[in-house]
Amino acid sequence: MQRYVCNVCGWVYDPEVGDTDSGIPAGTAFEDLPEDWLCPACAVGKDEFSPEG
């Protein structure tokens, strides 16, 4: 699965890890994150993320 990096702070969403602090289980693809999900490091929305690579 594709990892995504926050364009603002550089935090990386890894779908193999998820975001357990936000209730997102491991195995959740970035595309399947809720639309109101926010970066746990800087609180920007999904639109501020880009595919890593």
Side-chain angles (χ1 to χ4, degrees):
M1 279 193 246
Q2 177 71 51
R3 291 167 36 129
Y4 281 74
V5 62
C6 178
N7 299 324
V8 175
C9 72
W11 187 85
V12 176
Y13 176 76
D14 184 346
E16 293 183 13
V17 176
D19 179 14
T20 55
D21 290 343
S22 298
I24 307 297
T28 302
F30 185 82
E31 295 81 7
D32 295 333
L33 292 172
E35 287 304 314
D36 62 351
W37 177 84
L38 299 174
C39 175
C42 71
V44 297
K46 288 174 61 176
D47 60 331
E48 293 293 335
F49 279 74
S50 298
E52 186 179 57

